[in-house]
Amino acid sequence: MAGPDGSERLVKKHEFFQPRHYALAGLLVASFALTGCGQPTSQAAAQPPPPVTVAQPVKRIVTDWDEFTGRFEAVEEVQVRPRVGGFVNSVEFQDGAIVHQGDLLYVIDPRPFEAVATQAEGQLSDARAKVELAKRELDRGLSLVQTSAVSEQVVDQRRQALQAAHAAEVQAEGALKAARLNIEFTHVTAPLTGRVSRHLISPGNLVQGSDNGSSTLLTSIVTLDPIYVYFDMDEATFMKYSKLWFEGRRPSSRDTANPVQVTLAGETKPSHEGTINFLDNRLDVSTGTLRSRAVVKNTDLSILPGQFGRVRLIGSAPYEALLIPDVAVATDQSRKIVFVVKPDDTVEARPVVLGPLDEGLRVIREGLKADDRVIVNGIQRARVGAKVTPQTAQAPAGGKS
């Protein structure tokens, strides 16, 4: 040390710089600490692309079906009316039941007709007796004319009397048959097998009977299996079918029993099958439609005349198509689109032209290729132009539509 004064000055200078050194070191440590803490935060903010499920279109042979609204009608329907009049004795069927041909439905009081039949039997017996008498008289006349005991004129008269007696016998037989038929008609039976309506006439009421349609209506019966379904085909569809027929790509329903499938109200897929068996010979000028009819199996009797149903008719020749699940199709204003994952895993919105549903899958007529990866699940997480994490789905499954 140089001296006391110098020593003090050195010590004070040392003491003056030491706090600043420590403060600077602390700032540097804190700065490194903040830098180290910020690095995990930026890494956590970088999220991976959202996952989506993709599938390639299914390629298979399909056939288009056109759909129409139809109404069912019975193949056969009959109004049950009596052929003879009288008082109703009894009703022999249960309302709404299935009846078979020949089952007894109504009984009309037969006693007046039985009395007429008894009278006709007596008239027939009298006519037959007159025939026997005329025959014997003619035989005697033929014997006597050989001895000239009677003239030829007498023999001719007796021959004519025998013919008249035969005619009277025939008339009496006819009257007896008519009387017996009337007795039979007092038992009104089912003319066909089907479901009967309710009884319209109760026992004790008087009914009118005739063969000209003016008799009293008793009930009605309709057949159920098979059953008809009528539907109207618009002119454009009819022209499409005609063109396909001329090109040899689809058989005409006029000479071929083209298949149909029927979906009832409340059903999501067809439950009954049938075939076309009638096309009308002209279009309705007021509606521009062609009345068509198919016959449908109804073995479970679940369809009743008057019901509505959706009728699917084969509408094209078989062709190869690409199909995807219907849930993969989205709507962008007036067009339909699907979201496709490109090779770099970015999303592209692809406009498509849709076809019909086939076994739960949607036919894509235009806009897709067989190797495209279509987003079928997770569409809400996909953004056009953004990356996604594609996950391959199982083969698209679909129930029959």
Side-chain angles (χ1 to χ4, degrees):
M1 292 186 187
D5 294 337
S7 298
E8 288 181 6
R9 282 196 298 268
L10 289 174
V11 171
K12 287 181 180 180
K13 187 176 181 179
H14 177 73
E15 290 176 354
F16 175 76
F17 283 104
Q18 185 176 3
R20 292 184 61 186
H21 176 73
Y22 290 154
L24 180 61
L27 289 174
L28 291 174
V29 172
S31 175
F32 284 118
L34 289 174
T35 304
C37 292
Q39 186 174 358
T41 302
S42 62
Q43 290 178 352
Q47 297 293 333
V52 295
T53 304
V54 298
Q56 291 184 337
V58 176
K59 181 185 292 187
R60 66 171 177 235
I61 302 298
V62 299
T63 302
D64 289 347
W65 294 77
D66 295 322
E67 195 168 271
F68 309 90
T69 299
R71 181 188 288 273
F72 293 97
E73 292 188 16
V75 173
E76 296 182 17
E77 179 179 359
V78 63
Q79 293 182 338
V80 180
R81 299 177 183 269
R83 302 182 69 174
V84 294
F87 285 92
V88 176
N89 280 355
S90 62
V91 178
E92 301 293 334
F93 67 92
Q94 183 179 359
D95 292 356
I98 295 293
V99 296
H100 297 85
Q101 185 176 7
D103 286 354
L104 183 62
L105 303 179
Y106 281 86
V107 176
I108 299 173
D109 188 1
R111 291 174 297 175
F113 305 101
E114 291 173 349
V116 174
T118 301
Q119 184 180 4
E121 288 175 354
Q123 293 174 349
L124 178 60
S125 298
D126 179 67
R128 287 173 176 172
K130 290 180 179 179
V131 168
E132 290 298 327
L133 176 61
K135 186 183 297 185
R136 287 195 297 268
E137 289 182 348
L138 177 60
D139 291 340
R140 284 195 300 267
L142 292 174
S143 299
L144 294 174
V145 75
Q146 295 178 358
T147 61
S148 299
V150 296
S151 64
E152 291 287 344
Q153 182 180 5
V154 173
V155 173
D156 291 340
Q157 290 175 350
R158 292 181 180 181
R159 186 177 285 112
Q160 188 274 336
L162 177 60
Q163 292 175 350
H166 275 302
E169 181 185 18
V170 172
Q171 290 179 349
E173 288 176 348
L176 179 59
K177 287 181 180 179
R180 288 174 176 172
L181 273 177
N182 288 336
I183 295 175
E184 183 180 341
F185 291 154
T186 60
H187 289 68
V188 182
T189 58
L192 51 81
T193 299
R195 190 176 297 280
V196 68
S197 181
R198 64 185 180 91
H199 68 279
L200 302 177
I201 302 297
S202 300
N205 285 288
L206 179 65
V207 296
Q208 301 293 328
S210 70
D211 290 328
N212 57 13
S214 62
S215 56
T216 306
L217 178 61
L218 301 178
T219 187
S220 62
I221 304 174
V222 295
T223 58
L224 296 178
D225 184 29
I227 194 169
Y228 285 150
V229 56
Y230 285 88
F231 59 95
D232 293 325
M233 182 189 305
D234 60 89
E235 186 174 356
T237 302
F238 171 71
M239 295 303 296
K240 181 186 75 170
Y241 292 163
S242 297
K243 181 179 179 181
L244 290 173
W245 176 70
F246 279 119
E247 295 173 352
R249 298 165 55 194
R250 178 187 180 275
S252 172
S253 295
R254 293 194 183 276
D255 49 31
T256 303
N258 282 327
V260 299
Q261 298 175 348
V262 179
T263 305
L264 303 180
E267 296 180 341
T268 58
K269 59 182 180 179
S271 58
H272 293 76
E273 296 181 349
T275 54
I276 295 290
N277 73 337
F278 166 75
L279 293 179
D280 210 343
N281 59 359
R282 60 180 297 175
L283 271 72
D284 190 324
V285 295
S286 60
T287 61
T289 57
L290 181 70
R291 176 56 57 94
S292 309
R293 184 183 71 194
V295 59
V296 179
K297 296 179 182 179
N298 188 28
T299 54
D300 57 358
L301 308 183
S302 61
I303 306 175
L304 293 179
Q307 279 185 243
F308 283 98
R310 301 294 297 173
V311 181
R312 299 177 72 227
L313 173 62
I314 182 173
S316 74
Y319 63 95
E320 188 177 68
L322 298 178
L323 303 96
I324 62 174
D326 203 31
V327 295
V329 180
T331 301
D332 181 15
Q333 295 181 352
S334 61
R335 63 177 185 170
K336 298 294 184 180
I337 62 173
V338 297
F339 293 98
V340 176
V341 178
K342 297 193 294 185
D344 60 355
D345 290 343
T346 59
V347 177
E348 175 189 4
R350 187 82 59 80
V352 292
V353 177
L354 303 183
L357 282 173
D358 184 82
E359 297 185 0
L361 299 179
R362 177 66 66 178
V363 174
I364 304 299
R365 299 197 186 279
E366 297 178 8
L368 281 184
K369 296 179 293 185
D371 56 352
D372 284 335
R373 295 183 298 171
V374 180
I375 298 178
V376 298
N377 190 12
I379 295 178
Q380 68 278 5
R381 296 190 295 269
R383 297 293 181 269
V384 176
K387 284 185 174 293
V388 292
T389 303
Q391 300 173 354
T392 303
Q394 299 295 329
K400 190 172 182 178
S401 172

